[in-house]
Amino acid sequence: MASLLDALNPEQLAAVTLPHQHALVLAGAGSGKTRVLTTRIAWLIRTGSVSPHGIIAVTFTNKAAREMLTRIGAMLPISTRGMWVGTFHGLCNRLLRAHHREAKLPSTFQILDSQDQLALVKRVMKAMHVDEDRYPPRQVMSFIAGAKEEGRRPRDVETYDELSRRAHEVYAAYDEQCQKEGVADFAELLLRCHELLAHNEPLRSHYQSRFRHVLVDEFQDTNRLQYRWLKLLAGPDTAIFAVGDDDQSIYAFRGANVGNMEDFRRDFHVENIVRLEQNYRSHGHILDAANALIGHNRKRLGKNLWTSAGEGELLRVYEAQSDGYEANFVVEEINALVRDGFARRDMAVLYRSNAQSRVLEHALFSQGIPYRVYGGLRFFERQEIKHALAYLRLIANPEDDGAFLRVVNFPTRGIGARSIESLQDAARAHGATLWHAATTLTGKSATSVGAFVRLIGEMRVATAGLSLAETVEHVIEKSGLVAHYRKEKDGAERVENLQELVNAAAAFTADDANAALSAATVASAATVGDGDPAPADPLSAFLAHAALESGDNQAGEGADAVQLMTVHSAKGLEFHAVFITGLEEGLFPHESSVTEDDGLEEERRLMYVAITRARTRLYLTFSQTRMLHGQTRYAVASRFLDELPKEALRWVTPRLAYDVRPGRLDDRAWSAAQPPARYAARVADKAGLPFRIGQNVMHPKFGQGVIVSAEGSGPEARVQINFGRQGMKWLQLEYAKLTAA
DNA sequence: AATCCGTCTATTTTT
DNA sequence: TAGACGGATT
C-alpha cells in the first residue's frame, strides 16, 4: 500500500484517499490528474473497499481510457477486467447492446459517425423537399445534435425561428428514419441510454447499486446530457469522483458546459473539494505567464499553479514580418534545438486554426525537418474503409439505408440514379427501408439491383461460420473492392488499407472483443441481467468499435518528428519546447469569439492550455501580415501578449532595417504592426490615399490601430482599421480623425 | 461513368 | 489560397 501512495504530494494523497463520498478535484494543468484518478481506483480496490466490478470510470477519448487502463494495470496485480473504463459513448454502447430490447433497438444496431449522420440528414431533407440552400444540412444536423445533447426529443424541442422550425421537422423525420433502419448517431447513444435508465427502474437500481464508485475525467468538458446521465447512474450508495479543470474548458462550442462543475457541487452537496496546484511540468516563468494570463478571466473557480522546479528560461517573443518569416523563425529555432541535442518529437508547433499549418509545413519540408501533423483523416474514415464497412454493415443489418446507398453501386454494377430513385420512391411509399424495397420489388429477378441483393445474401451465408478477419477478407474480395482499387492508378494504398482492415479485425477478435464485450460477469442473478454480455455478435461489436474509435490519423507515430497541431488537440500533451504561433488579434483570440458569449474567456483558456504545454522553453510568435483566405491581412499583436508579465518575456525579434523607432525593444510599440514597404507602396499608388495600407494610425476614440484595407477614393474613401481589442472598423477618411502613429 | 469546371467557403473536435 | 462540392459535360 505504501508504495502506491508513496510519491504523492499531500493534495494528491488527500484526493486519492477521500472517503466514500462525492468529491470534486480541481486538477490544474500538469498537476498529476491522471495519476490521482488511477491511483484512486487502485487504492479503492487494494483497500478492499470495492471490487473492480463496482467501479465505472468515464473519459472523453479512447486514448484517455486506454491510458487509464494501462496505468491501473501496472499498479494492480489483478486483472482490470470487470471494471468499466471507457468513453461516455463506449459505455453507453455497451449498455445499449446488453439491453437492446429494453432500449428498443435491434441487437445489431449500427452507429453512425458524423459523416453518416450528415448523409442521413441530407437524405431525409431531400425526401421532405426541404431547400438545402435555405436550410443548410450542416446546420440542421447541429440543431439535431444540439437538441439531443440537451436531452430533448422532437416533442421537447422549442423552436424560435424559421430554421429551427424546419430543423425541428427534419429532426422528427430523422429520428423516425433512424429507428426504421436500426441506426444510432453518437448523441443518440447517450440519449437512448439515458432514457433507458430513466424509464426502467429495475435496470436503473441494478446499475446504481452495482457501481459504488463513478469516476469522471475531464469533468469540465461534460455536456448537459452527460451530466444527467451521471446523475442517473449514481444511486444512494454511489460516490462520484469528478476530476476537472475549469481553466481548461475549451469545448463550449461543442456543448461542453463548465457550469456542470458548479451544478455538481450544488446537486450533490459536495464537501470534498481538492485543489491540485503543484505543477510537475513547467518551469517558473512559464507558470507565471499562465497564471497571469488566466487571471484576466472573471469566471473561475480559482486556482494558482506553482512549481518547485525553479524559474527556468524566459518566454521568447518573436515578431515576424509575414507568416512565411514566422515559419522560418520556427524552423531555425528547431534546428538550433536539434543541434543542442533535443528530440524533435519533444517539440510542438501550435496554432489556432488548421489553415495555419500550411506555411509551417512548407518551411519544415524545405528544410528537410521531419514533422507530423495531427488531425486529418483517420483510418476508419477513409473512403475505402467506409465502403468495406458498409458491406459488413449490410451483412449485420441490411436495413441500414446509409450503408446500402454507399455501396449499392460501388464498385459500379450498372445501378444508376434512376433505379436508386425508384427504389427510394418505393421505400417511401411503403414506409420501408431500401433493402426491403429492393427485395420485394426485384425479388429474384435478373435486374442489377436483384444481383446486388443476392450478392449481399451470399455474403451473409458465406461468412456465417467465419471468423471476423475471414469475414472481412471475404467481403473485400467478393464485393469487388480490392479488384476495383487494384485497377485504379492510385489505388495501391487503398488496397493496403483494406488489408489493414483485415488485420484490425484479427486484432479486434483477440483483444478488444474480449476486453470490451466479455468482461467478467460477476454472477448477477438479478432479474435484470448485466451489461457484461456474452460476446454477442462479433461483427456488430467490430462495427461499433470502428465507429467509436475512428483510429489513428497518421502513421509514423514512432518517428522523431516535430509535432504540428492546433491548440485544441494539444490539450493533455506536453513538450520540452513549444511554439505558439499566430498570436494576432483576430486569429488568436479568434475574431468570431468576440461575438460569442464568454468567447473571449474561452479563447484565453485556450491560450492558457497552450502555455501550459511547455516544460522548459516557450516561444510566442506573431506576424505583421498573414495570408488568409487568399488575401494578405494586416494584424496587430494578440492582446494575450499584453496580459503576460513583462518580467517573464524576452523579446527576440532582431531590429529590422526599415524599423527605426527608438526604444522599440523595450516599450509597447511592438504591439502595432509595421508591414513591409512593398505592400504599402503598391496599394497606396492604386488607391491614391493619404494613408497607406498597413500604416499605424491613431484615432481619438479607438486608439491605436493599423490600416488593413481601403476602398474608394476622394471623399468616398474608406479604410478598414484593426484597432486590436476595439475590433475591426470601417471608417470614412473624410470624417475619421486619424493621425499617423 | 468519369471528369471537368465553376462556385462557395474558410475556428476549434471527439465520439 | 485551396479544398470541397454540385452540376454539367464528354
Coordinates of all heavy atoms in Angstrom, one line a residue, chain A residues 391-446:
Chain A
Y391 N -20.4 -2.8 -46.5 CA -20.8 -4.2 -46.9 C -21.0 -5.0 -45.6 O -21.9 -5.7 -45.5 CB -19.7 -4.8 -47.7 CG -19.8 -4.4 -49.2 CD1 -18.9 -3.5 -49.7 CD2 -20.8 -5.0 -50.0 CE1 -19.0 -3.1 -51.1 CE2 -20.9 -4.6 -51.4 CZ -20.0 -3.6 -51.9 OH -20.1 -3.3 -53.2
L392 N -20.0 -4.8 -44.7 CA -20.2 -5.5 -43.4 C -21.4 -5.1 -42.7 O -22.1 -6.0 -42.1 CB -18.9 -5.2 -42.5 CG -17.6 -5.8 -43.1 CD1 -16.4 -5.2 -42.4 CD2 -17.6 -7.3 -43.0
R393 N -21.7 -3.8 -42.7 CA -22.9 -3.4 -42.1 C -24.2 -4.0 -42.7 O -25.1 -4.3 -42.0 CB -23.0 -1.9 -42.1 CG -22.3 -1.2 -41.0 CD -22.0 0.3 -41.3 NE -23.1 1.1 -41.4 CZ -23.1 2.4 -41.3 NH1 -21.9 3.0 -41.1 NH2 -24.2 3.1 -41.4
L394 N -24.2 -4.1 -44.0 CA -25.3 -4.7 -44.6 C -25.5 -6.2 -44.2 O -26.6 -6.7 -44.2 CB -25.2 -4.6 -46.2 CG -25.5 -3.2 -46.7 CD1 -25.3 -3.1 -48.2 CD2 -26.9 -2.7 -46.3
I395 N -24.4 -6.9 -44.0 CA -24.5 -8.2 -43.6 C -25.1 -8.3 -42.2 O -25.9 -9.1 -41.9 CB -23.1 -8.9 -43.6 CG1 -22.6 -9.1 -45.0 CG2 -23.1 -10.2 -42.8 CD1 -21.2 -9.6 -45.1
A396 N -24.6 -7.4 -41.3 CA -25.1 -7.4 -40.0 C -26.6 -6.9 -39.9 O -27.4 -7.4 -39.2 CB -24.3 -6.5 -39.1
N397 N -26.9 -5.9 -40.7 CA -28.2 -5.3 -40.7 C -28.5 -4.6 -42.0 O -28.2 -3.5 -42.3 CB -28.2 -4.2 -39.5 CG -29.4 -3.3 -39.6 OD1 -30.5 -3.7 -40.1 ND2 -29.3 -2.1 -39.0
P398 N -29.2 -5.4 -42.9 CA -29.5 -4.9 -44.2 C -30.4 -3.7 -44.3 O -30.5 -3.0 -45.3 CB -30.1 -6.1 -44.9 CG -30.6 -6.9 -43.9 CD -29.8 -6.7 -42.7
E399 N -31.1 -3.4 -43.2 CA -32.0 -2.2 -43.2 C -31.2 -0.9 -43.2 O -31.9 0.2 -43.2 CB -32.9 -2.3 -42.0 CG -33.6 -3.7 -41.7 CD -34.6 -4.0 -42.7 OE1 -35.3 -3.0 -43.2 OE2 -34.8 -5.2 -43.1
D400 N -30.0 -0.9 -43.1 CA -29.1 0.3 -43.0 C -29.1 1.0 -44.3 O -28.2 0.6 -45.1 CB -27.8 -0.2 -42.5 CG -26.8 1.0 -42.1 OD1 -27.0 2.1 -42.7 OD2 -25.9 0.8 -41.3
D401 N -29.9 1.9 -44.5 CA -30.0 2.6 -45.8 C -28.7 3.3 -46.2 O -28.3 3.4 -47.4 CB -31.1 3.6 -45.8 CG -32.5 3.0 -46.0 OD1 -32.5 1.7 -46.1 OD2 -33.5 3.7 -46.1
G402 N -28.1 3.9 -45.2 CA -26.8 4.6 -45.5 C -25.8 3.7 -46.1 O -25.1 4.0 -47.1
A403 N -25.7 2.5 -45.5 CA -24.7 1.5 -46.0 C -25.1 1.1 -47.4 O -24.3 0.9 -48.3 CB -24.6 0.4 -45.0
F404 N -26.4 0.8 -47.5 CA -27.0 0.4 -48.8 C -26.6 1.4 -49.9 O -26.0 1.0 -50.9 CB -28.5 0.3 -48.7 CG -29.2 -0.3 -49.9 CD1 -29.5 -1.7 -49.9 CD2 -29.5 0.5 -51.0 CE1 -30.1 -2.2 -51.0 CE2 -30.1 -0.1 -52.1 CZ -30.4 -1.4 -52.1
L405 N -26.9 2.6 -49.7 CA -26.6 3.6 -50.7 C -25.2 3.8 -51.0 O -24.8 4.1 -52.2 CB -27.2 5.0 -50.3 CG -28.7 5.1 -50.4 CD1 -29.2 6.4 -49.7 CD2 -29.1 5.1 -51.9
R406 N -24.3 3.6 -50.0 CA -22.9 3.8 -50.2 C -22.3 2.8 -51.2 O -21.5 3.1 -52.0 CB -22.2 3.7 -48.8 CG -20.7 3.9 -48.9 CD -20.1 3.9 -47.6 NE -20.0 5.2 -47.0 CZ -19.0 6.1 -47.2 NH1 -18.1 5.8 -48.1 NH2 -19.0 7.2 -46.6
V407 N -22.8 1.6 -51.1 CA -22.2 0.5 -51.9 C -23.1 -0.1 -52.9 O -22.6 -1.0 -53.7 CB -21.5 -0.6 -51.0 CG1 -20.3 0.0 -50.3 CG2 -22.5 -1.2 -50.1
V408 N -24.3 0.3 -53.0 CA -25.2 -0.4 -54.0 C -24.6 -0.3 -55.4 O -24.8 -1.3 -56.2 CB -26.6 0.2 -53.9 CG1 -26.7 1.6 -54.4 CG2 -27.6 -0.7 -54.8
N409 N -23.9 0.7 -55.6 CA -23.3 0.8 -57.0 C -21.8 1.1 -56.9 O -21.2 1.8 -57.7 CB -24.0 1.9 -57.8 CG -23.7 1.9 -59.2 OD1 -23.5 0.8 -59.8 ND2 -23.6 3.0 -59.9
F410 N -21.2 0.6 -55.9 CA -19.7 0.7 -55.7 C -19.1 -0.6 -55.3 O -19.4 -1.0 -54.2 CB -19.4 1.9 -54.8 CG -17.9 2.2 -54.9 CD1 -17.5 3.3 -55.7 CD2 -17.0 1.5 -54.2 CE1 -16.2 3.6 -55.8 CE2 -15.6 1.8 -54.3 CZ -15.2 2.8 -55.1
P411 N -18.2 -1.2 -56.1 CA -17.9 -0.8 -57.4 C -19.1 -0.8 -58.4 O -20.0 -1.5 -58.1 CB -16.9 -1.8 -57.8 CG -16.4 -2.5 -56.6 CD -17.5 -2.4 -55.6
T412 N -19.0 0.0 -59.4 CA -20.1 0.2 -60.3 C -20.6 -1.1 -60.8 O -19.9 -2.0 -61.2 CB -19.8 1.1 -61.4 OG1 -18.6 0.6 -62.0 CG2 -19.6 2.5 -61.0
R413 N -21.9 -1.3 -60.7 CA -22.6 -2.5 -61.2 C -23.8 -2.1 -62.0 O -24.9 -2.8 -61.9 CB -22.8 -3.5 -60.1 CG -23.3 -3.0 -58.8 CD -23.6 -4.1 -57.8 NE -22.4 -4.6 -57.2 CZ -21.9 -4.1 -56.1 NH1 -22.4 -3.1 -55.5 NH2 -20.8 -4.6 -55.6
G414 N -23.8 -1.0 -62.6 CA -24.9 -0.6 -63.5 C -26.2 -0.2 -62.8 O -27.3 -0.4 -63.4
I415 N -26.1 0.2 -61.6 CA -27.3 0.7 -60.9 C -27.2 2.2 -60.9 O -26.5 2.8 -60.1 CB -27.4 0.1 -59.5 CG1 -27.4 -1.4 -59.6 CG2 -28.6 0.7 -58.8 CD1 -27.4 -2.1 -58.2
G416 N -27.9 2.8 -61.8 CA -27.8 4.3 -62.0 C -28.8 5.0 -61.0 O -29.5 4.5 -60.2
A417 N -28.7 6.3 -61.2 CA -29.5 7.2 -60.4 C -31.0 6.9 -60.4 O -31.7 6.9 -59.4 CB -29.3 8.7 -60.7
R418 N -31.5 6.6 -61.7 CA -32.9 6.3 -61.8 C -33.4 5.1 -61.0 O -34.4 5.1 -60.4 CB -33.3 6.2 -63.3 CG -32.6 5.1 -64.0 CD -32.2 5.4 -65.4 NE -31.2 4.5 -65.8 CZ -29.9 4.6 -65.6 NH1 -29.5 5.8 -65.0 NH2 -29.0 3.7 -65.9
S419 N -32.6 4.0 -61.1 CA -33.1 2.8 -60.4 C -33.0 3.1 -58.9 O -33.9 2.6 -58.1 CB -32.2 1.6 -60.7 OG -31.0 1.9 -61.4
I420 N -32.0 3.8 -58.4 CA -32.0 4.1 -57.0 C -33.1 5.0 -56.6 O -33.8 4.8 -55.6 CB -30.6 4.9 -56.7 CG1 -29.5 3.9 -56.8 CG2 -30.7 5.4 -55.2 CD1 -28.1 4.4 -56.7
E421 N -33.5 5.9 -57.5 CA -34.6 6.8 -57.1 C -35.9 6.0 -57.1 O -36.7 6.2 -56.2 CB -34.7 7.9 -58.2 CG -34.8 9.3 -57.5 CD -34.3 10.4 -58.4 OE1 -35.1 10.8 -59.3 OE2 -33.2 10.8 -58.3
S422 N -36.1 5.1 -58.0 CA -37.3 4.3 -57.9 C -37.4 3.4 -56.7 O -38.4 3.2 -56.1 CB -37.5 3.5 -59.2 OG -36.5 2.5 -59.3
L423 N -36.2 3.0 -56.3 CA -36.1 2.2 -55.0 C -36.5 3.1 -53.9 O -37.3 2.7 -53.0 CB -34.7 1.7 -54.8 CG -34.3 0.4 -55.3 CD1 -32.9 0.1 -55.0 CD2 -35.2 -0.7 -54.8
Q424 N -36.0 4.3 -53.9 CA -36.3 5.3 -52.8 C -37.8 5.6 -52.7 O -38.4 5.7 -51.7 CB -35.5 6.5 -52.9 CG -34.0 6.3 -52.4 CD -33.1 7.5 -52.6 OE1 -33.1 8.1 -53.6 NE2 -32.3 7.8 -51.6
D425 N -38.4 5.8 -54.0 CA -39.8 6.1 -54.0 C -40.6 4.9 -53.4 O -41.5 5.1 -52.6 CB -40.2 6.3 -55.5 CG -39.7 7.6 -56.0 OD1 -39.3 8.5 -55.1 OD2 -39.7 7.8 -57.2
A426 N -40.2 3.7 -53.8 CA -41.0 2.5 -53.3 C -40.8 2.4 -51.8 O -41.8 2.1 -51.1 CB -40.4 1.3 -54.0
A427 N -39.6 2.6 -51.4 CA -39.4 2.5 -49.9 C -40.2 3.5 -49.2 O -40.9 3.2 -48.2 CB -37.9 2.7 -49.6
R428 N -40.3 4.7 -49.7 CA -41.0 5.8 -49.1 C -42.5 5.5 -49.0 O -43.2 5.6 -48.0 CB -40.8 7.1 -49.8 CG -40.8 8.3 -49.0 CD -40.3 9.5 -49.7 NE -38.9 9.3 -50.1 CZ -38.3 9.8 -51.2 NH1 -39.1 10.5 -52.1 NH2 -37.1 9.6 -51.5
A429 N -43.0 5.0 -50.2 CA -44.4 4.6 -50.3 C -44.8 3.6 -49.2 O -45.9 3.6 -48.7 CB -44.7 4.2 -51.7
H430 N -43.9 2.7 -49.0 CA -44.3 1.6 -48.0 C -43.8 1.9 -46.6 O -43.9 1.1 -45.7 CB -43.7 0.3 -48.5 CG -44.2 -0.2 -49.8 ND1 -44.6 -1.5 -50.0 CD2 -44.5 0.4 -50.9 CE1 -45.1 -1.7 -51.2 NE2 -45.0 -0.5 -51.8
G431 N -43.2 3.0 -46.5 CA -42.6 3.4 -45.2 C -41.5 2.3 -44.8 O -41.4 2.0 -43.6
A432 N -40.8 1.9 -45.8 CA -39.9 0.8 -45.5 C -38.5 1.2 -45.9 O -38.2 2.3 -46.4 CB -40.3 -0.5 -46.3
T433 N -37.5 0.3 -45.7 CA -36.1 0.6 -46.0 C -35.8 0.3 -47.4 O -36.6 -0.4 -48.1 CB -35.2 -0.2 -45.1 OG1 -35.4 -1.5 -45.3 CG2 -35.4 0.2 -43.6
L434 N -34.7 0.7 -47.9 CA -34.3 0.4 -49.3 C -34.1 -1.1 -49.5 O -34.5 -1.6 -50.5 CB -33.0 1.2 -49.6 CG -33.1 2.7 -49.7 CD1 -31.7 3.3 -49.8 CD2 -34.0 3.1 -50.8
W435 N -33.6 -1.7 -48.5 CA -33.4 -3.1 -48.6 C -34.7 -3.8 -48.8 O -34.9 -4.7 -49.7 CB -32.7 -3.7 -47.4 CG -32.5 -5.2 -47.3 CD1 -33.2 -6.1 -46.7 CD2 -31.5 -5.9 -48.1 NE1 -32.7 -7.3 -46.9 CE2 -31.7 -7.2 -47.8 CE3 -30.4 -5.5 -48.9 CZ2 -30.9 -8.3 -48.3 CZ3 -29.6 -6.5 -49.5 CH2 -29.9 -7.9 -49.2
H436 N -35.7 -3.4 -48.0 CA -37.0 -4.0 -48.1 C -37.5 -3.8 -49.5 O -38.0 -4.7 -50.1 CB -37.9 -3.4 -47.0 CG -39.3 -4.0 -47.0 ND1 -39.5 -5.1 -46.3 CD2 -40.4 -3.6 -47.6 CE1 -40.8 -5.4 -46.5 NE2 -41.4 -4.5 -47.2
A437 N -37.4 -2.6 -50.0 CA -37.9 -2.3 -51.3 C -37.2 -3.1 -52.4 O -37.8 -3.6 -53.3 CB -37.8 -0.8 -51.6
A438 N -35.9 -3.2 -52.2 CA -35.1 -3.9 -53.2 C -35.5 -5.4 -53.2 O -35.6 -6.0 -54.3 CB -33.6 -3.7 -52.9
T439 N -35.7 -6.0 -52.1 CA -36.0 -7.4 -52.1 C -37.4 -7.7 -52.5 O -37.7 -8.6 -53.3 CB -35.8 -8.0 -50.6 OG1 -36.4 -7.1 -49.7 CG2 -34.4 -8.2 -50.3
T440 N -38.4 -6.8 -52.1 CA -39.8 -7.1 -52.6 C -40.0 -6.7 -54.0 O -40.7 -7.4 -54.7 CB -40.8 -6.3 -51.7 OG1 -40.4 -5.0 -51.6 CG2 -40.8 -6.9 -50.3
L441 N -39.4 -5.7 -54.4 CA -39.6 -5.2 -55.8 C -38.9 -6.1 -56.8 O -39.5 -6.6 -57.8 CB -39.1 -3.8 -56.0 CG -40.0 -2.7 -55.7 CD1 -39.5 -1.3 -56.1 CD2 -41.4 -2.9 -56.3
T442 N -37.6 -6.3 -56.6 CA -36.9 -7.0 -57.6 C -36.9 -8.5 -57.4 O -36.6 -9.3 -58.3 CB -35.4 -6.5 -57.7 OG1 -34.8 -6.8 -56.5 CG2 -35.4 -5.1 -58.0
G443 N -37.1 -8.9 -56.1 CA -37.1 -10.3 -55.8 C -35.9 -11.0 -56.3 O -34.8 -10.6 -56.1
K444 N -36.2 -12.1 -57.0 CA -35.1 -12.8 -57.6 C -34.8 -12.5 -59.0 O -34.2 -13.3 -59.8 CB -35.4 -14.3 -57.4 CG -35.7 -14.8 -56.0 CD -34.5 -15.6 -55.5 CE -34.9 -16.2 -54.1 NZ -35.0 -15.1 -53.1
S445 N -35.4 -11.4 -59.4 CA -35.3 -11.0 -60.8 C -33.9 -10.8 -61.3 O -32.9 -10.6 -60.5 CB -36.1 -9.8 -61.1 OG -35.5 -8.6 -60.7
A446 N -33.7 -10.7 -62.6 CA -32.3 -10.6 -63.1 C -31.8 -9.2 -63.2 O -30.8 -8.9 -63.9 CB -32.3 -11.3 -64.5

